[in-house]
């Protein structure tokens, strides 16, 4: 997915890559906007990133697409 929640604010993967580079914050600090489960950022700076759930979530339409 391309969008996630960070501290209850929607953030795009593109902005999250910049945020990660600036702050060094990594890991499952994001949440899926649909199911609220933890998600982490994948991707390198300067590329298109995306978020992935920590575990597959049944019933979440954002959960089963890997990229
Ligand atoms: Zn989800």
């Amino acid at each position: 997915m391309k969008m996630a929640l960070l501290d209850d604010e929607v953030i795009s993967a593109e902005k999250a890559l910049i945020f990660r580079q600036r702050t060094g914050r990594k890991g499952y600090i994001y949440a899926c906007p649909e199911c609220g489960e933890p998600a982490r950022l994948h991707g390198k700076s300067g590329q298109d990133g995306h978020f992935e759930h920590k575990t597959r979530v049944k019933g979440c339409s954002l959960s089963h697409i890997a990229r």
Side-chain angles (χ1 to χ4, degrees), residues 7 11 19 21 24 54:
D7 298 333
I11 187 168
F19 172 82
Q21 192 172 33
K54 191 171 187 176

PDB file of all heavy atoms in Angstrom, residues 7 11 19 21 24 54:
ATOM      1  N   ASP A   7       1.457   8.120  13.833  1.00  0.00           N
ATOM      2  CA  ASP A   7       0.940   8.973  14.903  1.00  0.00           C
ATOM      3  C   ASP A   7      -0.424   9.563  14.528  1.00  0.00           C
ATOM      4  O   ASP A   7      -0.679  10.758  14.684  1.00  0.00           O
ATOM      5  CB  ASP A   7       1.929  10.100  15.226  1.00  0.00           C
ATOM      6  CG  ASP A   7       3.256   9.561  15.714  1.00  0.00           C
ATOM      7  OD1 ASP A   7       3.280   8.450  16.289  1.00  0.00           O
ATOM      8  OD2 ASP A   7       4.276  10.236  15.511  1.00  0.00           O
ATOM      9  N   ILE A  11       0.307   9.303   6.019  1.00  0.00           N
ATOM     10  CA  ILE A  11       1.587   9.634   5.402  1.00  0.00           C
ATOM     11  C   ILE A  11       1.763   8.759   4.164  1.00  0.00           C
ATOM     12  O   ILE A  11       1.398   7.587   4.172  1.00  0.00           O
ATOM     13  CB  ILE A  11       2.749   9.456   6.419  1.00  0.00           C
ATOM     14  CG1 ILE A  11       4.064   9.964   5.831  1.00  0.00           C
ATOM     15  CG2 ILE A  11       2.875   8.017   6.901  1.00  0.00           C
ATOM     16  CD1 ILE A  11       5.187  10.083   6.867  1.00  0.00           C
ATOM     17  N   PHE A  19      11.065  10.909   5.856  1.00  0.00           N
ATOM     18  CA  PHE A  19      10.977  10.908   7.313  1.00  0.00           C
ATOM     19  C   PHE A  19      11.981   9.929   7.921  1.00  0.00           C
ATOM     20  O   PHE A  19      12.675  10.242   8.890  1.00  0.00           O
ATOM     21  CB  PHE A  19       9.545  10.536   7.717  1.00  0.00           C
ATOM     22  CG  PHE A  19       9.358  10.307   9.190  1.00  0.00           C
ATOM     23  CD1 PHE A  19       9.185  11.373  10.049  1.00  0.00           C
ATOM     24  CD2 PHE A  19       9.337   9.020   9.699  1.00  0.00           C
ATOM     25  CE1 PHE A  19       9.016  11.154  11.412  1.00  0.00           C
ATOM     26  CE2 PHE A  19       9.162   8.799  11.051  1.00  0.00           C
ATOM     27  CZ  PHE A  19       9.007   9.872  11.910  1.00  0.00           C
ATOM     28  N   GLN A  21      14.748   8.791   6.603  1.00  0.00           N
ATOM     29  CA  GLN A  21      16.110   9.266   6.381  1.00  0.00           C
ATOM     30  C   GLN A  21      16.461  10.376   7.380  1.00  0.00           C
ATOM     31  O   GLN A  21      17.571  10.458   7.886  1.00  0.00           O
ATOM     32  CB  GLN A  21      16.226   9.788   4.945  1.00  0.00           C
ATOM     33  CG  GLN A  21      17.655  10.033   4.501  1.00  0.00           C
ATOM     34  CD  GLN A  21      17.732  10.368   3.015  1.00  0.00           C
ATOM     35  OE1 GLN A  21      16.826  10.995   2.466  1.00  0.00           O
ATOM     36  NE2 GLN A  21      18.779   9.947   2.371  1.00  0.00           N
ATOM     37  N   GLY A  24      15.718   8.487  11.251  1.00  0.00           N
ATOM     38  CA  GLY A  24      16.260   7.174  11.572  1.00  0.00           C
ATOM     39  C   GLY A  24      15.252   6.226  12.186  1.00  0.00           C
ATOM     40  O   GLY A  24      15.613   5.144  12.632  1.00  0.00           O
ATOM     41  N   LYS A  54       2.728  -6.271   8.981  1.00  0.00           N
ATOM     42  CA  LYS A  54       3.606  -7.201   9.710  1.00  0.00           C
ATOM     43  C   LYS A  54       3.170  -8.636   9.456  1.00  0.00           C
ATOM     44  O   LYS A  54       3.982  -9.521   9.222  1.00  0.00           O
ATOM     45  CB  LYS A  54       3.532  -6.885  11.207  1.00  0.00           C
ATOM     46  CG  LYS A  54       4.564  -7.592  12.037  1.00  0.00           C
ATOM     47  CD  LYS A  54       4.528  -7.022  13.451  1.00  0.00           C
ATOM     48  CE  LYS A  54       5.653  -7.583  14.291  1.00  0.00           C
ATOM     49  NZ  LYS A  54       5.685  -6.955  15.630  1.00  0.00           N
TER      50      LYS A  54
END
